[in-house]
């Protein structure tokens, strides 16, 4: 499987509170930001860097510099993950992909797309929920048409069905998640999951 489940006690703690149905939107947003930071750090662990030499007050020191990264949140729920990425990588450039699942067919419909040049760049695809995988597959297809160097998917909760779908369509897109849950229900919601992420984030 191309999924890495980030197994850190803090990640488990934050996810538990996110799952809790009594967690209100204000707290939900804070938890989303904190958990995203952990997941994004893990997903960029092997990001290649360029060498950079600096002068310390005492002598020269060899160091390194990050390449420009691009983050692409899938609207709307992926927007909750943006602040953490901005704080970790102030030089990040953003693209946006708007997708909404049809409640009946579970197929994503595209309603917005604005992407910067991606050729040769490192892309983080941000969406907290990987359910059927339809949205992630569609977004990864759109991104890969622009020939990035690497695409990585960062999500909070993944379902086995979504992992399988993304793996089948894009085996070169590794997934970083806080949990791999049991299954989808008949309405395409992840079990045990945390409900509708966008609604809980925005108090809809
Ligand atoms: C949710 C979620 C993902 C998608 C996952 O978005 O944020 O984008 O569902 O489901 P899938 O893997 O089956 O495609 P939704 O379409 O509900 O839109 P929203 O973010 O605007 O709430
Ligand atoms: N989208 C969500 O927000 N939650 C799910 O469980 C599945 C898709």
């Amino acid at each position: 499987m191309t999924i890495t489940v980030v197994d850190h006690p803090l990640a488990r703690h934050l996810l538990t509170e996110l799952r809790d149905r009594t967690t209100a939107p204000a707290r939900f947003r804070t938890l989303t930001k904190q958990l995203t930071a952990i997941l994004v750090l893990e997903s960029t662990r092997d990001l290649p860097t360029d060498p950079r030499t600096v002068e310390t007050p005492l002598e020269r020191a060899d160091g390194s510099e990050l390449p420009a990264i691009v983050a692409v949140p899938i609207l709307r729920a992926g927007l909750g993950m943006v602040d953490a990425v901005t704080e970790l990588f102030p030089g990040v450039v953003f693209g946006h992909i708007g997708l909404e699942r049809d409640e009946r067919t579970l197929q994503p419909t595209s309603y917005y797309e604005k992407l910067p040049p991606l050729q040769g760049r490192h892309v983080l695809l941000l969406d907290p929920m990987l359910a059927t995988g339809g949205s992630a597959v569609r977004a990864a297809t759109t991104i890969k048409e622009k020939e990035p160097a690497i695409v990585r998917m960062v999500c909070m909760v993944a379902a086995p069905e979504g992992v399988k779908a993304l793996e089948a369509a894009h085996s070169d897109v590794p997934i970083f998640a806080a949990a791999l849950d049991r299954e989808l229900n008949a309405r395409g919601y992840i079990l045990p999951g945390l409900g509708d992420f966008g609604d809980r984030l925005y108090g809809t």
Side-chain angles (χ1 to χ4, degrees):
M1 273 204 173
T2 52
I3 185 167
T4 301
V5 176
V6 178
D7 188 25
H8 189 287
L10 179 57
R12 287 199 298 273
H13 175 91
L14 296 171
L15 179 62
T16 303
E17 216 180 319
L18 275 172
R19 288 191 195 275
D20 186 342
R21 64 186 304 161
T22 67
T23 300
R27 179 71 186 145
F28 196 90
R29 287 191 274 269
T30 302
L31 293 164
T32 298
K33 184 173 164 184
Q34 291 172 340
L35 185 53
T36 301
I38 296 172
L39 298 173
V40 165
L41 278 182
E42 191 59 37
S43 73
T44 51
R45 181 182 281 281
D46 62 349
L47 203 62
T49 53
D50 298 322
R52 181 180 168 208
T53 303
V54 293
E55 297 286 340
T56 76
L58 302 172
E59 60 177 42
R60 283 164 75 92
D62 293 333
S64 64
E65 190 166 73
L66 285 169
I69 69 162
V70 179
V72 181
I74 299 180
L75 312 182
R76 149 190 76 148
L79 288 177
M81 303 170 77
V82 159
D83 287 353
V85 178
T86 310
E87 282 185 15
L88 288 172
F89 301 101
V92 64
V93 171
F94 285 101
H96 295 87
I97 293 180
L99 295 174
E100 188 171 15
R101 272 195 334 173
D102 181 283
E103 282 182 13
R104 200 176 46 81
T105 64
L106 301 182
Q107 295 304 308
T109 307
S110 167
Y111 61 88
Y112 186 78
E113 186 186 312
K114 188 141 296 198
L115 295 171
L118 297 180
Q119 195 166 29
R121 298 176 94 173
H122 301 269
V123 178
L124 297 179
L125 177 58
L126 309 174
D127 192 333
M129 306 305 273
L130 180 64
T132 65
S135 305
V137 168
R138 178 88 169 257
T141 302
T142 302
I143 288 168
K144 280 170 63 180
E145 280 164 6
K146 293 182 171 275
E147 301 177 352
I150 291 170
V151 184
R152 289 163 195 187
M153 163 104 202
V154 182
C155 59
M156 310 261 152
V157 180
E161 294 88 335
V163 174
K164 221 167 137 188
L166 189 57
E167 213 168 45
H170 299 293
S171 57
D172 54 348
V173 177
I175 304 159
F176 295 84
L180 176 60
D181 275 8
R182 195 176 70 244
E183 60 183 345
L184 296 180
N185 71 10
R187 292 177 56 221
Y189 278 86
I190 301 173
L191 298 175
L194 48 74
D196 187 305
F197 199 98
D199 284 357
R200 297 198 59 195
L201 185 72
Y202 292 113
T204 310

